[in-house]
Amino acid sequence: MRRLSAGLTAGVLLLVATACGSSEGGSPDAGASSGGVTTVKVGLIPIVDVAPLYLGQKQGFFEKQGLKLEFTTAQGGAAILPGVASGQFQFGFSNVTSLMVAQSNGVPVKAVANGIASTGVAGEDFGALMVKKGSPLKSPKELEGRKVAINTLKNINETAVRESVRKAGGDPDKVDFVELAFDQMPAALDQGQIDAAMVVEPATATIKSQGGVEIASPLVDVAPNLTVAMYFASTQYAQQNPEVVKKFQDATAESLAYADAHPDEARQIITTYTKIPADVLAKVTLPKWPAEANRSSIEALMKLGETDGLFKKTPDLDALLP
């Protein structure tokens, strides 16, 4: 395996371990308070998934709880984890596999609010395994010996693609996974630098606009209505700032419900933090934003992670999940 971009995840686990090993790690009192408003820093990925937080901030849901959010973006959940562990961010957005990997490596993280879920419908999900227009590849089985882009190695998207390959009768160990940011995947695929890409919106719609074709819905292949990602904090911060965490949970739940009920507003807010063109945005498939995580789907994801050798020890879901 190799990277096509400057990998943000190189040494991530070392960074996390170092941050957590520091006597100052976690910065439990981080988050300046002014005039009754607490400012919290949130690490996010610039993708459709996090639209509810931007929308909730705009609608005043967080302000109503006495919170002001400051957003910082990163390539993936694995890159956000060190920031939360070290106290750089009070909250972060990460796929569930990253959280389980971190916990199994002794990083004290705690999921505090639901993030997103797959639509559960193959061919109609926000995440897709795609090939370029005219590609001879028709099935995940044919990816053996081929170059497939994922946003971070050894993570949820690799696990999901591996499951799609298995279900199609192929050997996932023969796939050449490379790391590439989601927003760089459409061009790389179009230029033939990669053979396939595991993308999420808005990159999914961008590739479709280029004539690209979906050959699998990996997140759907993992489990029905898969809980893909959640918002989290360090265990230390959650324990020492329960009131702030509760306010964040309540405002996030309101934001998720609002985004689910107002898809047009969710699409519009996406234009404020991505460069997606309006004509492509109209074709974006939105994820589901349920208030609660689907534990059985997370258990299925955990089993696949164990099969892929991602964990040093079995994750403790009771300790990890809200």
Side-chain angles (χ1 to χ4, degrees):
M1 295 190 229
R2 58 190 183 280
R3 293 170 172 76
L4 292 184
S5 64
L8 287 178
T9 55
V12 159
L13 294 178
L14 176 60
L15 285 170
V16 173
T18 301
C20 288
S22 167
S23 61
E24 297 175 1
S27 298
D29 58 352
S33 181
S34 175
V37 176
T38 300
T39 298
V40 293
K41 297 179 179 179
V42 186
L44 299 176
I45 312 167
I47 52 179
V48 168
D49 309 29
V50 298
L53 248 60
Y54 285 91
L55 196 53
Q57 178 98 310
K58 180 182 178 182
Q59 292 296 320
F61 301 148
F62 290 92
E63 183 180 4
K64 183 173 65 176
Q65 294 290 340
L67 297 179
K68 178 182 178 182
L69 308 185
E70 288 187 357
F71 301 129
T72 299
T73 59
Q75 181 166 322
I80 292 169
L81 275 156
V84 173
S86 67
Q88 178 185 355
F89 310 130
Q90 282 70 62
F91 299 99
F93 178 83
S94 173
N95 69 80
V96 177
T97 297
S98 277
L99 295 176
M100 291 190 289
V101 168
Q103 189 200 57
S104 75
N105 280 280
V107 182
V109 291
K110 175 73 176 178
V112 297
N114 200 31
I116 58 160
S118 161
T119 66
V121 182
E124 298 179 21
D125 196 23
F126 72 95
L129 180 59
M130 305 192 73
V131 296
K132 68 181 294 184
K133 180 180 181 180
S135 171
L137 304 175
K138 307 296 183 186
S139 163
K141 181 180 181 180
E142 298 170 357
L143 295 178
E144 293 179 359
R146 302 285 187 160
K147 195 179 298 181
V148 179
I150 49 178
N151 68 317
T152 51
L153 298 170
K154 295 294 181 184
N155 222 302
I156 186 169
N157 286 317
E158 180 176 338
T159 287
V161 172
R162 281 176 169 272
E163 181 64 359
S164 291
V165 173
R166 283 190 200 98
K167 287 191 170 183
D171 182 354
D173 289 337
K174 294 181 180 179
V175 177
D176 182 14
F177 289 102
V178 295
E179 188 173 84
L180 193 63
F182 287 125
D183 61 1
Q184 296 175 24
M185 291 183 189
L189 189 62
D190 197 45
Q191 294 166 12
Q193 296 173 1
I194 53 177
D195 298 299
M198 174 58 204
V199 288
V200 297
E201 296 287 13
T204 311
T206 299
I207 292 176
K208 287 179 180 177
S209 73
Q210 297 171 175
V213 178
E214 177 176 340
I215 61 171
S217 299
L219 299 176
V220 178
D221 284 340
V222 170
N225 305 314
L226 174 67
T227 293
V228 178
M230 301 182 74
Y231 296 97
F232 71 103
S234 70
T235 303
Q236 182 184 21
Y237 185 84
Q239 290 173 344
Q240 297 187 7
N241 298 272
E243 291 184 4
V244 176
V245 171
K246 180 64 165 59
K247 291 176 179 179
F248 181 83
Q249 289 173 326
D250 291 346
T252 299
E254 189 171 4
S255 300
L256 292 169
Y258 189 88
D260 235 8
H262 299 83
D264 289 342
E265 290 185 48
R267 289 180 195 277
Q268 180 58 35
I269 203 75
I270 293 165
T271 65
T272 65
Y273 64 92
T274 73
K275 298 176 181 178
I276 184 170
D279 58 333
V280 176
L281 180 62
K283 300 173 183 177
V284 161
T285 299
L286 297 177
K288 295 296 183 182
W289 286 303
E292 301 294 332
N294 179 346
R295 176 153 178 153
S296 63
S297 74
I298 295 174
E299 290 172 348
L301 192 61
M302 182 178 71
K303 290 178 181 177
L304 289 177
E306 289 183 311
T307 298
D308 293 335
L310 299 186
F311 312 129
K312 285 188 175 180
K313 61 180 181 180
T314 300
D316 181 354
L317 295 186
D318 290 336
L320 179 64
L321 301 179

